[in-house]
Amino acid sequence: MDFSNLNAIYINCTLKKSPQKSHTSTLMNVSKEILKKENVSFEEIRFIDHDVASGVYPDMTEYGWETDEWPQLYKKIIAADILIIGTPIWLGEKSSETQKLIERLYAMSGKVNDKGQYVFYGKVGGCIITGNEDGIKHCAMGILYSLQHVGYSIPPQADCGWIGKVGPGPSYGDQVWNDEKLNTPVGFDSDFTNRNTTFMTYNLLHIASMLKRNDGYSNYGNSREQWNNGERWNFENPEYR
């Protein structure tokens, strides 16, 4: 397999500003190492480091905000074949930064590509989640639903993550806990996490490669632009024949 024509963007929605350690970024590094070996270009963005306004419009400076870095970040996101969202779990939910990102992705839902389809058609999405208690599947459910709703394609096994035992404890990648050095960084020996992270990464690469070879999806039956121009393909309400 040759994935070298693909590019990916990781958006880390940790609540920690750089250069604080992000456990989510530590797990992202496992996926990124695969991309390096497959000659896939990628970039990681820490969302909280950027002055992104809250809202559901493409540029919130047009709606009362003094600054909004979203238009610049969107250019990087739309240029990528693959979007991987990373989030910690807080109170059983994805982070507030993740929700802001999803809302800003949704802000672009009125845009279309050169086939008249919604703008994220032909792009592929997945997620990476870390936490100390249960919630990986719950967070992934909301993130992956949101991505497919705005047009991203979601392959099988498009999520991965690591969680620790219930209650306070070390997080993914920690090497010291309660002033005691740990023999193995926390989570690094989890076969479940290692397997799912690998499967997620390759599944994203496979579907992105297939879509790129076929120039995305045919716009037969799914073009917003053609629908607005009166095209209905084979649509008919059977109650009004």
Side-chain angles (χ1 to χ4, degrees), residues 100-118:
K100 181 193 283 188
L101 170 61
I102 287 170
E103 288 167 353
R104 298 313 302 270
L105 290 170
Y106 185 59
M108 317 312 291
S109 61
K111 293 184 176 293
V112 296
N113 62 20
D114 57 7
K115 295 181 180 180
Q117 301 162 320
Y118 292 114

Side-chain angles (χ1 to χ4, degrees), residues 30-31 34 157 160 192-204:
V30 177
S31 175
I34 293 172
Q157 186 58 64
C160 65
F192 185 82
T193 294
N194 293 336
R195 183 195 70 198
N196 283 4
T197 303
T198 301
F199 283 14
M200 177 211 69
T201 304
Y202 275 106
N203 287 342
L204 292 170

Side-chain angles (χ1 to χ4, degrees), residues 46-80:
R46 192 174 291 204
F47 204 55
I48 202 168
D49 287 345
H50 298 272
D51 189 6
V52 178
S54 298
V56 289
Y57 294 99
D59 186 348
M60 293 305 300
T61 62
E62 299 174 1
Y63 293 86
W65 290 77
E66 290 187 10
T67 59
D68 185 8
E69 287 188 47
W70 174 251
Q72 291 75 40
L73 294 180
Y74 170 71
K75 290 178 182 177
K76 294 186 175 184
I77 293 170
I78 198 62

Side-chain angles (χ1 to χ4, degrees), residues 82-221:
I82 300 168
L83 168 63
I84 302 172
I85 297 176
T87 182
I89 302 170
W90 292 110
L91 295 174
E93 289 285 354
K94 58 188 176 291
S95 73
S96 55
E97 288 295 300
T98 308
Q99 185 61 34
K100 181 193 283 188
L101 170 61
I102 287 170
E103 288 167 353
R104 298 313 302 270
L105 290 170
Y106 185 59
M108 317 312 291
S109 61
K111 293 184 176 293
V112 296
N113 62 20
D114 57 7
K115 295 181 180 180
Q117 301 162 320
Y118 292 114
V119 71
F120 295 118
Y121 270 45
K123 309 292 185 181
V124 180
C127 60
I128 291 175
I129 298 163
T130 60
N132 289 106
E133 299 182 27
D134 196 12
I136 291 175
K137 290 181 174 65
H138 174 74
C139 293
M141 176 176 64
I143 293 169
L144 297 179
Y145 165 79
S146 298
L147 287 178
Q148 67 81 30
H149 185 76
V150 298
Y152 277 90
S153 295
I154 309 299
Q157 186 58 64
D159 65 300
C160 65
W162 180 89
I163 49 174
K165 296 178 181 179
V166 172
S171 297
Y172 185 83
D174 280 347
Q175 300 182 56
V176 177
W177 177 248
N178 284 340
D179 297 325
E180 293 184 10
K181 185 173 176 57
L182 306 176
N183 293 329
T184 303
V186 174
F188 281 25
D189 56 356
S190 169
D191 184 69
F192 185 82
T193 294
N194 293 336
R195 183 195 70 198
N196 283 4
T197 303
T198 301
F199 283 14
M200 177 211 69
T201 304
Y202 275 106
N203 287 342
L204 292 170
L205 291 173
H206 282 305
I207 196 167
S209 182
M210 287 188 284
L211 286 168
K212 194 151 193 170
R213 284 198 304 270
N214 290 281
D215 190 29
Y217 292 96
S218 165
N219 64 353
Y220 182 79

